[in-house]
Amino acid sequence: MTRGRFITLEGIEGAGKSTLAVALGERLAARGVVARATREPGGTPLAERLRELVLQRGAERVSPQSETLLMFAARGIHLDNLVRPALARGEWVICDRFTDATRAYQGGGRGVDAAWIEALAREVHAGLEPDLTLLLDLPVEVGLARARRRRGGAGGTDVDRFESEAAAFFARVRERYLDIARTAPQRVCVIDAAAPPEAVRAAAVDALERL
């Protein structure tokens, strides 16, 4: 059986990844392709429990290194129990965030050592990289404004540990994402997420059709 394709969506808060994942899944279904939508951290019951630990704002401090390890622990569980089996069945997997997010958020945003992140990536998913990564890029202020509207206001109690970060944090994250795109142009397709939704979908579908 032909292995399925692994597609990842990346970008800062408010980039529109979840909406685009639905549109891509519908496009693939119309072509007769079985596609599985998932997310990181999370995607399986146990990985979702780790997601809660990573995102919730509690009394105890979580260091950048501990946060990185939690991300990779959830990723390993997700890959073993959902992603790899689906790909082996010939299904396409559309994943909202993957290791590029760790490179950008923990590496770029938190300052975690890039070489250590790559060493963890080799241990957790050696031999598996996305076939296509769609990087939804937009200015930080635009993304944060969208995220606030999505939550229904600027001071909602449902803000997670990342959404509560300052704009400077997301500026570092965005820059690292763009660095990744520059070093992996064959894999990463940068899409202007500030464009109208129909233009974003068209650009993503075009990249998908080339794949």
Side-chain angles (χ1 to χ4, degrees), residues 3 39 68 72 75 93 109 119 127 130 133 147 161 164 184 189 195 210:
R3 172 190 174 277
R39 69 177 182 177
T68 303
F72 273 107
R75 181 162 298 133
V93 176
T133 297
R161 291 181 61 249
S164 63
C189 175
R210 291 198 301 271

Side-chain angles (χ1 to χ4, degrees), residues 12 17 77 92 113 117 152 164 180 186 197:
I12 64 170
K17 299 184 299 348
I77 293 166
W92 289 40
D113 181 67
I117 291 175
S164 63
I180 293 168
Q186 296 82 14

Side-chain angles (χ1 to χ4, degrees), residues 31-116:
R31 294 284 298 272
V33 176
V34 177
R36 174 74 65 92
T38 187
R39 69 177 182 177
E40 287 205 352
T44 73
L46 182 54
E48 287 289 334
R49 289 165 62 186
L50 287 174
R51 177 187 179 89
E52 293 177 8
L53 293 177
V54 171
L55 297 185
Q56 69 185 8
R57 294 188 295 169
E60 291 187 77
R61 176 179 180 268
V62 178
S63 72
Q65 290 75 22
S66 296
E67 184 179 274
T68 303
L69 290 170
L70 284 169
M71 290 292 188
F72 273 107
R75 181 162 298 133
I77 293 166
H78 182 221
L79 290 170
D80 288 345
N81 295 296
L82 190 153
V83 175
R84 291 186 187 275
L87 294 173
R89 291 192 299 268
E91 299 175 12
W92 289 40
V93 176
I94 303 172
C95 190
D96 183 342
R97 300 198 189 283
F98 190 57
T99 301
D100 286 333
T102 306
R103 294 171 176 127
Y105 277 78
Q106 282 71 51
R110 304 279 195 225
V112 173
D113 181 67
W116 185 56

Side-chain angles (χ1 to χ4, degrees), residues 12-16 138 140-154 158-159 163 170:
I12 64 170
E13 269 55 31
L138 77 172
V140 168
E141 60 273 16
V142 176
L144 295 184
R146 287 182 179 178
R148 285 194 296 269
R149 288 196 298 272
R150 183 184 63 210
R151 294 193 305 268
D158 59 341
V159 176
E163 292 173 332
F170 292 103

